[in-house]
Amino acid sequence: MSAIVLGATGLCGGFFLKFANQSTKLNKIYSLTRSKPKIEIDETKCNFILDKDSDNWDLKIKELNDSNLEVLFTALATTRASAGGFDNQYKIDHDLNMKLAKAAKEKGCKTVVVVSSMGADVNSHFSYTRMKGEIERDLIDMNFEKTIILRPGIILGDRGDKVHNGTGNGLAVSLGSMFYRSRLQRLAGYPVEAEEISKVGVHLALDDSTEKVRIIESKEILEIAAKIKD
């Protein structure tokens, strides 16, 4: 069984790559990125496909000579500041994800796992959570055999760059760190480590459940992560 990982240069995507690579159920991993991820990976079964032009990534998927592709993990996303505005962010977070998910499904992927967000809702008054809701809706409409949607609250972890560590995000992470797995964690929307999000995503993608669509909120992500044996 093979898998594709999108967004591996990011926090959750890097951990998707790590846990997918460690799984004995997966024989080969493909990672589509503009540059090689910083996370340390045993490259024995991991294949990096590097292309700075993401417009070509769907073609890269279509060209894969692999009849065992079954899982797509995506944490592909950017920020409004990094993209240069919400419209450009939408083109990556929504449009590019949909384009690549379609290519992966046509190539044989049966399961898709996506990192969404707490509060995702197509009817939200906030552009970010509305966009996340539209991503969820459109992935579900693609009719994968199994769709796993992860809705974390504040995501904790070392992002390692100034663009993603702006003042607002820094305050949220500081708050999340204070309440992480504490008795008052619900007051901060159940903050969760990026590593836990990805571990749960890989675990659920490769288990034997047949539930067609599963949405996992931050509280449940924490609960499942605590039960998974390394």
Side-chain angles (χ1 to χ4, degrees):
M1 188 191 307
S2 304
I4 301 171
V5 175
L6 302 176
T9 56
L11 197 54
C12 290
F15 285 119
F16 270 150
L17 193 63
K18 172 186 173 180
F19 292 115
N21 205 43
Q22 288 177 352
S23 173
T24 57
K25 295 183 179 180
L26 292 169
N27 300 315
K28 189 171 289 186
I29 316 295
Y30 300 95
S31 175
L32 273 162
T33 59
R34 292 186 176 89
S35 58
K36 197 167 182 179
K38 294 180 180 180
I39 192 166
E40 292 186 11
I41 290 292
D42 176 359
E43 296 185 33
T44 304
K45 65 179 182 181
C46 189
N47 299 265
F48 292 107
I49 303 171
L50 306 180
D51 190 336
K52 292 186 180 297
D53 187 359
S54 58
D55 287 341
N56 297 325
W57 287 4
D58 62 322
L59 299 178
K60 298 293 185 182
I61 292 174
K62 292 174 183 178
E63 291 169 357
L64 290 175
N65 184 23
D66 192 327
S67 60
N68 295 311
L69 281 171
E70 290 205 18
V71 186
L72 171 66
F73 298 101
T74 180
L76 180 63
T78 187
T79 63
R80 185 182 304 215
S82 181
F86 178 73
D87 288 346
N88 289 331
Q89 181 185 20
Y90 194 92
K91 289 176 183 178
I92 295 173
D93 284 34
H94 178 276
D95 297 349
L96 184 56
N97 262 310
M98 296 309 109
K99 182 180 180 181
L100 299 179
K102 182 175 183 291
K105 188 171 188 294
E106 291 174 351
K107 198 67 182 175
C109 282
K110 300 174 182 177
T111 297
V112 60
V113 182
V114 62
V115 179
S116 182
S117 172
M118 176 179 64
D121 184 346
V122 293
N123 297 311
S124 174
H125 295 297
F126 301 100
S127 58
Y128 179 78
T129 47
R130 184 170 62 250
M131 174 182 68
K132 291 297 186 180
E134 291 171 358
I135 292 169
E136 293 182 4
R137 176 199 64 196
D138 294 344
L139 276 179
I140 291 170
D141 285 348
M142 283 192 190
N143 200 32
F144 281 85
E145 290 186 15
K146 188 156 69 169
T147 299
I148 297 165
I149 295 168
L150 303 164
R151 286 183 180 171
I154 298 170
I155 300 176
L156 306 177
D158 182 12
R159 288 164 173 79
D161 63 83
K162 294 181 181 179
V163 172
H164 292 84
N165 276 330
T167 303
N169 187 69
L171 290 173
V173 170
S174 296
L175 177 66
S177 297
M178 288 173 56
F179 287 99
Y180 173 67
R181 288 194 179 276
S182 73
R183 288 182 297 174
L184 299 176
Q185 61 183 333
R186 64 181 179 81
L187 299 178
Y190 295 95
V192 58
E193 291 280 354
E195 188 167 0
E196 293 173 308
I197 298 165
S198 302
K199 180 187 287 189
V200 169
V202 173
H203 173 76
L204 295 178
L206 301 176
D207 71 9
D208 296 326
S209 68
T210 57
E211 192 172 355
K212 191 170 181 64
V213 177
R214 184 167 181 185
I215 298 174
I216 304 97
E217 304 287 352
S218 207
K219 181 175 183 289
E220 189 178 3
I221 293 172
L222 288 164
E223 291 169 350
I224 296 172
K227 296 176 183 177
I228 297 173
K229 295 181 180 180
D230 293 325

